[in-house]
C-alpha cells in the first residue's frame, strides 16, 4: 500500500482502538444494561472514567472520519474519489451528532446524580431523554447508511478486497435494519467495519 493509504489505515485502526480503551474500565463495563437509577449512581461514583469514556468515543469518531477522508483523497479516479468523499461527509455528519450526544451526557448524567435519584423524573427529564435519543438514532442511521454506501462504492470500484467491501455493505445495511427495528444499537459496533478496512490498508 502507498504511504497515504497507510496513513488512512492507521487512523482507521488506531483511532478506535485507542479511543475505546476507556470503555473497558471495570466499573463501567456493565453500565449499559443497568437500570436508570444504578446507571446514574455508577456515573456519579466514577465521573472521571465516564468523561474519559465519552472522550474516547469522540476520538474514535474523529480519527475514523479523518481516515476515510485520507482514503478518499488518495483514491485514483475523480468519480471514485467523489463518491468516497460523499460517504465520508455522511459519516462526518453522523460523528458530529454523536459528539453532541457525548457532550450532553458527559455533563447531564452527573448532574442527575447531584439532584438525587428521587429527582430523575423531573418534568424536564423526558424532554432531555427525547433529545438525546433523537440525536443518537440520527447518528446511528446516518453512520450505518454511510458505511453501507462506502461498501457499495468500494465493491464497485476496488481496489480493496471485495470481501471487505461486502462486509462494509452488509454490516451497514444490517445495522440500519437493526436500528429501525429496535431503535437502539451498541455504538462500538459501528467502528468494527472501518477498523477492518483499516487493517487491509496497512
Amino acid at each position: 500500500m502507498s504511504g497515504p493509504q497507510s496513513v488512512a489505515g492507521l487512523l482507521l485502526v488506531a483511532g478506535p482502538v485507542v479511543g475505546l480503551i476507556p470503555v473497558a474500565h471495570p466499573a463501567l463495563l456493565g453500565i449499559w444494561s443497568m437500570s436508570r437509577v444504578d446507571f446514574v449512581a455508577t456515573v456519579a461514583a466514577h465521573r472521571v472514567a465516564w468523561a474519559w469514556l465519552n472522550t474516547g468515543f469522540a476520538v474514535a469518531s474523529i480519527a475514523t472520519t479523518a481516515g476515510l477522508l485520507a482514503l478518499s483523497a488518495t483514491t485514483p479516479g475523480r468519480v471514485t474519489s467523489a463518491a468516497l468523499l460523499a460517504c465520508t461527509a455522511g459519516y462526518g455528519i453522523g460523528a458530529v451528532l454523536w459528539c453532541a450526544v457525548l457532550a450532553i451526557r458527559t455533563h447531564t448524567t452527573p448532574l442527575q446524580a447531584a439532584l438525587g435519584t428521587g429527582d430523575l423524573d423531573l418534568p424536564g427529564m423526558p424532554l432531555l431523554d427525547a433529545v438525546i435519543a433523537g440525536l443518537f438514532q440520527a447518528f446511528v442511521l446516518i453512520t450505518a447508511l454511510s458505511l453501507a454506501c462506502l461498501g457499495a462504492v468500494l465493491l464497485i470500484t476496488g481496489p480493496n478486497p471485495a470481501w471487505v467491501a461486502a462486509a462494509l455493505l452488509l454490516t451497514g445495511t444490517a445495522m440500519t435494519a437493526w436500528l429501525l427495528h429496535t431503535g437502539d444499537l451498541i455504538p462500538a459496533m459501528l467502528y468494527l467495519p472501518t477498523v477492518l478496512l483499516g487493517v487491509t490498508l496497512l
Side-chain angles (χ1 to χ4, degrees):
M1 289 293 176
S2 64
Q5 283 192 328
S6 295
V7 172
L10 183 62
L11 287 168
L12 292 174
V13 174
V17 169
V18 173
L20 296 182
I21 289 176
V23 176
H25 190 287
L28 301 180
L29 278 176
I31 197 169
W32 311 113
S33 59
M34 294 179 180
S35 66
R36 180 166 181 170
V37 172
D38 290 339
F39 177 90
V40 173
T42 301
V43 170
H46 303 88
R47 296 189 181 193
V48 174
W50 176 244
W52 275 111
L53 180 147
N54 290 310
T55 300
F57 273 121
V59 168
S61 288
I62 293 170
T64 301
T65 304
L68 294 177
L69 184 61
L71 177 62
S72 64
T74 59
T75 300
R78 292 183 179 180
V79 175
T80 301
S81 181
L84 291 178
L85 186 59
C87 296
T88 302
Y91 190 96
I93 292 171
V96 170
L97 295 173
W98 182 218
C99 287
V101 172
L102 296 171
I104 292 172
R105 73 182 191 181
T106 296
H107 293 283
T108 59
T109 308
L111 178 60
Q112 292 174 31
L115 293 173
T117 56
D119 293 323
L120 293 181
D121 293 324
L122 288 172
M125 291 309 303
L127 178 60
L128 177 62
D129 289 343
V131 170
I132 294 176
L135 288 172
F136 178 78
Q137 290 175 353
F139 146 67
V140 173
L141 181 61
I142 293 173
T143 301
L145 288 174
S146 297
L147 291 175
C149 291
L150 176 65
V153 171
L154 294 177
L155 190 61
I156 295 171
T157 62
N160 302 89
W163 66 270
V164 175
L168 281 164
L169 174 59
L170 293 175
T171 54
T173 302
M175 289 176 185
T176 301
W178 183 264
L179 175 71
L180 294 176
H181 178 66
T182 66
D184 199 8
L185 183 78
I186 299 174
M189 294 177 61
L190 290 165
Y191 300 103
L192 298 179
T194 48
V195 169
L196 178 63
L197 174 61
V199 170
T200 66
L201 294 173
L202 293 175

